[in-house]
């Protein structure tokens, strides 16, 4: 439930939203996503969090980051960490949970409603803290994927759960494979 006079802020966990949309077979059109939530209330900020792999000459996520930055999103990035796992596979890790939580708590006195685009159960204490400050929290993720991309405790804590698949017609476009997103082990976090 949204109210037209509510002050909104969007907090997008980039790797988590990318993984959820990919599991449902579509890509997010961020221009449409921003328009949709501007229609639902008075949007103060739209934050997008992602880690960038600095060692590569070309990062596949760089064009998206640049586009979002020039089109009204507040970008929060940091260098991703590269490592080799015990099986000798190259892995990339770039957790942005703390940055997102700090920004949400700092903005809490200025908003009525926070929309969190993540299914990561680590955000449950953040939602609880925002609610204690009188902020309503909606979570956008999916339970329609196998396995579900949202932690049950996160969905239960939120004031409102928005099924990402139900936003497909409003903010989606057909998936353009292959795009490599630098992701942390999203499935393990939910």
């Amino acid at each position: 439930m949204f109210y037209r006079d509510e002050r909104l802020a969007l907090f997008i966990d980039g790797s988590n939203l990318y993984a959820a949309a990919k599991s449902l077979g579509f890509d997010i059109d961020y221009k449409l996503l921003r328009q949709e939530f501007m229609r639902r209330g008075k949007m103060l900020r739209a934050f997008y969090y992602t880690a960038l792999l600095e060692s590569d000459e070309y990062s596949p996520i760089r064009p998206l980051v640049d586009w979002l930055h020039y089109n009204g999103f507040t970008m929060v990035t940091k260098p991703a960490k590269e490592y080799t796992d015990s099986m000798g596979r190259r892995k990339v890790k770039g957790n942005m949970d703390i940055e997102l939580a700090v920004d949400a708590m700092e903005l809490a006195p200025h908003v009525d409603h926070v929309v969190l685009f993540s299914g990561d159960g680590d955000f449950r204490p953040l939602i609880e803290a925002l609610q204690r400050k009188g902020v309503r929290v909606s979570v956008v993720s999916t339970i329609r994927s196998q396995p579900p991309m949202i932690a049950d405790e996160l969905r239960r804590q939120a004031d409102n759960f928005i099924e990402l698949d139900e936003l497909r017609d409003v903010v989606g476009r057909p998936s353009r494979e292959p795009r490599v997103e630098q992701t942390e082990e999203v499935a393990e976090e939910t």
Side-chain angles (χ1 to χ4, degrees):
M1 174 67 74
F2 288 82
Y3 303 103
R4 299 275 305 137
D5 61 341
E6 273 186 324
R7 297 168 299 163
L8 297 177
L10 309 184
F11 290 87
I12 301 169
D13 177 345
S15 63
N16 199 288
L17 179 58
Y18 171 80
K22 184 178 176 187
S23 75
L24 294 170
F26 71 97
D27 286 334
I28 302 292
D29 183 322
Y30 288 96
K31 182 177 183 179
L32 294 176
L33 181 133
R34 192 165 181 273
Q35 289 173 350
E36 172 62 18
F37 285 91
M38 286 174 74
R39 185 183 64 73
R40 292 183 183 206
K42 295 176 182 173
M43 190 164 55
L44 300 182
R45 290 277 182 278
F47 292 91
Y48 186 95
Y49 298 82
T50 192
L52 298 173
L53 194 54
E54 300 292 336
S55 63
D56 290 350
E57 284 186 25
Y58 172 76
S59 171
I61 195 172
R62 178 54 73 181
L64 173 64
V65 168
D66 291 342
W67 187 92
L68 291 170
H69 183 76
Y70 287 112
N71 286 278
F73 286 80
T74 300
M75 298 305 301
V76 183
T77 63
K78 72 178 180 185
K81 305 273 192 256
E82 247 185 298
Y83 67 96
T84 304
D85 71 6
S86 61
M87 305 292 282
R89 294 176 297 209
R90 179 177 166 233
K91 294 281 190 170
V92 176
K93 184 161 181 67
N95 194 317
M96 300 292 293
D97 293 3
I98 294 298
E99 290 83 353
L100 190 153
V102 168
D103 290 345
M105 290 304 292
E106 284 181 347
L107 202 58
H110 308 287
V111 297
D112 303 306
H113 195 154
V114 161
V115 183
L116 174 64
F117 291 79
S118 182
D120 188 340
D122 290 345
F123 287 124
R124 193 204 58 74
L126 170 64
I127 292 175
E128 192 175 31
L130 289 167
Q131 290 168 332
R132 283 194 306 267
K133 292 184 173 294
V135 176
R136 292 181 344 102
V137 181
S138 292
V139 173
V140 180
S141 189
T142 185
I143 57 174
R144 294 186 183 164
S145 60
Q146 288 301 324
M149 297 293 289
I150 186 166
D152 192 52
E153 65 271 15
L154 187 71
R155 189 167 55 95
R156 289 174 189 268
Q157 185 68 49
D159 295 297
N160 186 30
F161 170 68
I162 300 171
E163 171 58 54
L164 181 60
D165 198 32
E166 292 177 7
L167 291 176
R168 178 193 304 252
D169 293 340
V170 181
V171 304
R173 64 172 186 250
S175 186
R176 292 184 300 174
E177 292 296 326
R179 181 176 129 210
V180 178
E181 172 83 3
Q182 299 152 7
T183 61
E184 21 183 325
E185 302 303 317
V186 174
E188 291 176 15
E189 293 184 344
T190 55

